[in-house]
Amino acid sequence: MTDTLDIQITKTSHSRLQETDFDNLPFGKIFSDHMFVADYADGEWKNFQIVPYGDISLSPAISALHYGQAFFEGIKAYKHEDGKVVIFRPNKNAERANKSAERLCMPELPEDIFVQSIAALVDIDRDWIPTKANHALYIRPFMFATDAFLGVQASTTYKFMILTGPVGPYFSKALRVKIESYYTRAAQGGMGFAKAAGNYASTMMPAKKAVEDGFDQIIWTDGSHHEFIEEMGAANAMFILDGKLVTPVAGDTILNGVTRDTVIKLAEAWGIPVEQRNVAVAEIIEGAKSGKLTDAFGAGTAATIAPVGSIYYNGEEYTLSDPATREFSQKVLKTLDDIRYGRIEDTYGWNYVV
Ligand code: PLP
Ligand code: COI
């Protein structure tokens, strides 16, 4: 840990808290009163500031806009009944942010700066943390290139910012998913493992088509032959197949999810065999037919544990068991909630106390 970060704080003169309807919190549309901003120039991070949330002014030539040199993170903060505020595993996101930064030729941010800046911002806007079940303060750190230069090369200046906002559940029902057999999200040697803005841009058109066809999410498959499962649009894909927790290896092409890691650690503690390996589409479909696939869900910060209701593949749709009756995902969700909302002891030390 370095010394406490020196952050210049300018508080808003008009809080929007009172006019916010906490009974209606669509994901990602409501922002708390403040945001964090830092600049990278001359080889160092500086100008750490917390300012009122609002528009910023930038050159139209910044390389983030033209070449997509940008990445983000997603984290949640929770408020316990006794008023204690915790952030869930922010160090894991700090680690992953630096992997994204390295792949995108962007400057790393020391882990303690990442975590301290989030904690300072959450502390200032702690009244924005919703306390209702399934609700949290969503934290969106992001970094982008700010050189005003149209040549294709890594920028020399960057901004790191953090926004927060109260959110309810990202998905409101069991997902009808489609296994993709044409489009590709990421290829070997690409940047699928990074939380790069561009990874999301490339999924929007296929995802829009899937929604038009009545699906909620795409399950991406490998870029070579579409034979193996990769991940979902905003979550890692996890399955209970023949009594084992099966999930694709977090290699080059998928995001190494913090929730995925958390679910694996819980399964291991419960003595459930865990297999992180290549997961063939064929075995998932076979399992859906035979009944050996007893659970399927997406795991992610925004998504939490999102049950898959049915899987569409090659013209056939396979309906899975009623999510309410699924032993594993129900237990994971409850345990995770109990830890995050402080109802049971945090034996893993996952809650970072603000
Ligand atoms: N995969 C993708 C593509 C995502 O956008 C997310 C969400 O962050 C995840 C997986 C899950 O990652 P995490 O659990 O760290 O939120
Ligand atoms: C998250 O879970 O934090 C994500 O990044 C999902 C997001 C793309 C909505």
Side-chain angles (χ1 to χ4, degrees), residues 238-247 267 272-275 277 292-295 328:
M238 307 191 92
F239 307 92
I240 297 286
L241 192 59
D242 218 1
K244 297 174 200 139
L245 176 65
V246 174
T247 193
I272 293 166
V274 177
E275 293 184 355
R277 58 170 173 83
K292 282 187 177 171
L293 182 69
T294 53
D295 209 333
F328 183 78

Side-chain angles (χ1 to χ4, degrees), residues 7-267:
I7 304 174
Q8 191 196 322
I9 296 171
T10 310
K11 285 206 179 174
T12 180
S13 56
H14 173 70
S15 170
R16 286 172 286 103
L17 196 55
Q18 295 314 320
E19 60 215 47
T20 301
D21 178 6
F22 274 71
D23 288 323
N24 177 25
L25 295 172
F27 182 89
K29 292 194 174 165
I30 295 156
F31 298 97
S32 316
D33 280 330
H34 299 91
M35 62 186 187
F36 178 91
V37 193
D39 296 305
Y40 182 87
D42 308 315
E44 60 173 349
W45 285 103
K46 50 185 136 190
N47 303 337
F48 304 105
Q49 292 182 62
I50 288 176
V51 295
Y53 169 82
D55 293 350
I56 55 173
S57 171
L58 293 162
S59 157
I62 64 169
S63 34
L65 289 176
H66 297 264
Y67 308 122
Q69 214 192 353
F71 71 83
F72 67 96
E73 272 301 329
I75 308 172
K76 276 178 176 169
Y78 302 83
K79 193 179 271 178
H80 295 180
E81 229 166 56
D82 63 1
K84 185 171 166 186
V85 169
V86 303
I87 304 170
F88 193 70
R89 307 189 76 185
N91 290 84
K92 292 292 283 179
N93 299 84
E95 243 176 65
R96 188 171 65 192
N98 280 336
K99 291 199 174 117
S100 298
E102 187 191 9
R103 180 63 182 83
L104 292 164
C105 212
M106 295 166 76
E108 293 197 359
L109 191 66
E111 262 179 56
D112 54 343
I113 295 187
F114 184 93
V115 173
Q116 281 186 41
S117 49
I118 290 171
L121 183 64
V122 168
D123 193 21
I124 282 191
D125 281 334
R126 58 169 59 224
D127 291 344
W128 283 85
I129 307 175
T131 48
K132 261 172 56 174
N134 303 323
H135 286 61
L137 188 78
Y138 185 72
I139 303 164
R140 171 52 63 86
F142 58 110
M143 191 194 292
F144 58 96
T146 52
D147 277 5
F149 173 55
L150 296 185
V152 180
Q153 68 175 40
S155 186
T156 58
T157 61
Y158 295 86
K159 266 193 195 300
F160 172 66
M161 298 185 62
I162 309 165
L163 310 177
T164 73
V167 296
Y170 191 70
F171 297 118
S172 52
K173 60 176 180 57
L175 305 174
R176 188 174 176 221
V177 301
K178 171 193 170 189
I179 296 185
E180 181 60 56
S181 40
Y182 177 74
Y183 294 107
T184 298
R185 176 187 173 275
Q188 287 293 327
M191 58 177 190
F193 67 90
K195 212 160 164 59
N199 282 339
Y200 294 79
S202 73
T203 63
M204 286 183 192
M205 184 271 271
K208 182 163 176 270
K209 281 190 172 180
V211 167
E212 282 164 6
D213 291 339
F215 301 105
D216 301 304
Q217 277 282 311
I218 287 176
I219 290 194
W220 296 100
T221 48
D222 73 276
S224 311
H225 302 292
H226 301 288
E227 259 178 65
F228 296 99
I229 304 274
E230 298 239 297
E231 63 181 325
M232 311 219 295
N236 290 110
M238 307 191 92
F239 307 92
I240 297 286
L241 192 59
D242 218 1
K244 297 174 200 139
L245 176 65
V246 174
T247 193
V249 183
D252 240 17
T253 54
I254 73 170
L255 194 77
N256 188 358
V258 178
T259 319
R260 174 188 180 280
D261 179 77
T262 305
V263 172
I264 288 172
K265 292 217 159 67
L266 289 176

